[in-house]
Amino acid sequence: MFKKLAVIIMSVFLVSGASAATPGLEVQAAAKKTEIIVSAAASLQDSLDKIAVQYEKQHPDIDLVFNYGASGTLQKQIEQGAPADLFFSAGDKQMKALVDGGLISESRQLLKNQLVLVVPVSSKTKITSITQLTDKAFKKVAVGQPESVPAGQYAQQSLTAKKVWDTLQSKLVFAKDVRQVLSYVETGNADAGFVYKTDALTSAKVKIALTVGAHVHKAINYPVGIVKESDHQAEAKAFYNYVQTKAAGSIFTSYGFSLANE
């Protein structure tokens, strides 16, 4: 009888131990996921977040972690050794700097975009040229910081080409990235702002007042590259290849981007 009791007690302990160990096993399994850090231009956030959901379903062993910001800021972070496996830039300049610095192992053009001028959706002002921003109706005009934000660089090039960049200096409100420009216009902290077409399409609080002619600024290209110092070259290459597929391309175009090969 005592032997049977001992066996029963031992069995209970074994079952309890197995049950207690199960959560630990689950945690251990989850910890085996490979984390891929993707530094990407802020204007790509909506499309990449959606692509990530699909990709992680197909690759349950991969955890995509995104670091969104201004392309110039992300470039500097990579140059200073910040962890990153992939870099999506909203401009050729930032990618070229990393390629020339030997920090990118492989890169290619991925997408194209358009620069637009947005105003609050309630605005009644009709704009036919960006030179109208010098009018009294526009007290604050938001642009990305040209030193680090490609959209700000394209805006500066456009306004300079139209000979109003210097005239507008007292009106300009500089933002850390293109999404902050959008936010300034959405909240009424700016009467107008220069963003990408893709950003404008994400907001119900603004409307496109004007599409800036491509002839007054450099081509808006979005290259993608694999960071040479990545500890996960194979996994980074796999996602690099995936964003070039038709499945990913259809998501990018649904958000207003054009494919580089079109």
Side-chain angles (χ1 to χ4, degrees):
M1 179 178 173
F2 288 110
K3 285 184 179 180
K4 287 182 179 179
L5 185 60
V7 169
I8 291 171
I9 292 171
M10 184 62 73
S11 299
V12 170
F13 275 117
L14 288 172
V15 171
S16 300
S19 300
T22 301
L25 290 173
E26 290 175 353
V27 171
Q28 189 176 14
K32 288 182 179 178
K33 282 192 174 187
T34 300
E35 186 175 275
I36 299 301
I37 300 174
V38 181
S39 288
S43 51
L44 286 164
Q45 183 168 352
D46 299 288
S47 53
L48 280 179
D49 280 353
K50 189 169 183 178
I51 287 171
V53 172
Q54 290 190 358
Y55 191 79
E56 288 178 347
K57 280 183 181 178
Q58 297 173 23
H59 302 81
D61 58 327
I62 296 296
D63 183 18
L64 293 169
V65 178
F66 292 93
N67 173 28
Y68 293 111
S71 298
T73 300
L74 299 175
Q75 171 206 330
K76 295 298 182 186
Q77 289 176 358
I78 293 171
E79 288 173 339
Q80 291 166 9
D85 299 294
L86 285 158
F87 175 46
F88 288 79
S89 177
D92 292 321
K93 177 183 175 182
Q94 293 74 23
M95 184 64 75
K96 185 177 185 301
L98 293 179
V99 170
D100 291 347
L103 298 174
I104 297 292
S105 61
E106 185 177 349
S107 65
R108 65 159 293 159
Q109 293 292 348
L110 184 65
L111 305 167
K112 294 180 287 187
N113 211 337
Q114 289 178 291
L115 186 70
V116 300
L117 183 71
V118 294
V119 296
V121 71
S122 59
S123 176
K124 299 291 191 293
T125 306
K126 290 186 178 181
I127 302 175
T128 57
S129 170
I130 56 176
T131 57
Q132 288 176 245
L133 292 174
T134 59
D135 294 349
K136 291 181 180 179
F138 298 97
K139 295 179 174 59
K140 297 293 180 182
V141 179
V143 297
Q145 192 69 248
E147 291 77 15
S148 58
V149 185
Q153 294 165 13
Y154 302 132
Q156 182 181 33
Q157 291 163 10
S158 303
L159 293 169
T160 300
K162 292 294 185 178
K163 297 180 170 55
V164 292
W165 174 254
D166 292 335
T167 308
L168 288 171
Q169 286 304 300
S170 62
K171 295 185 177 185
L172 297 181
V173 178
F174 294 102
K176 65 177 182 178
D177 58 41
V178 72
R179 285 304 171 93
Q180 191 172 62
V181 173
L182 185 66
S183 176
Y184 284 160
V185 181
E186 287 178 327
T187 56
N189 288 309
D191 304 300
F194 288 93
V195 299
Y196 297 120
K197 174 187 174 183
T198 51
D199 296 294
L201 295 177
T202 67
S203 176
K205 297 179 181 179
V206 305
K207 61 184 177 181
I208 297 175
L210 183 73
T211 298
V212 181
H215 63 287
V216 293
H217 60 73
K218 290 184 178 179
I220 303 176
N221 296 319
Y222 281 64
V224 57
I226 301 173
V227 178
K228 187 175 286 186
E229 292 301 312
S230 167
D231 292 329
H232 309 290
Q233 287 290 322
E235 293 85 353
K237 178 65 183 266
F239 187 59
Y240 172 82
N241 289 337
Y242 183 80
V243 296
Q244 298 173 46
T245 64
K246 286 184 179 180
S250 64
I251 291 176
F252 284 128
T253 55
S254 73
Y255 280 94
F257 289 99
S258 299
L259 302 180
N261 56 9
E262 287 184 346

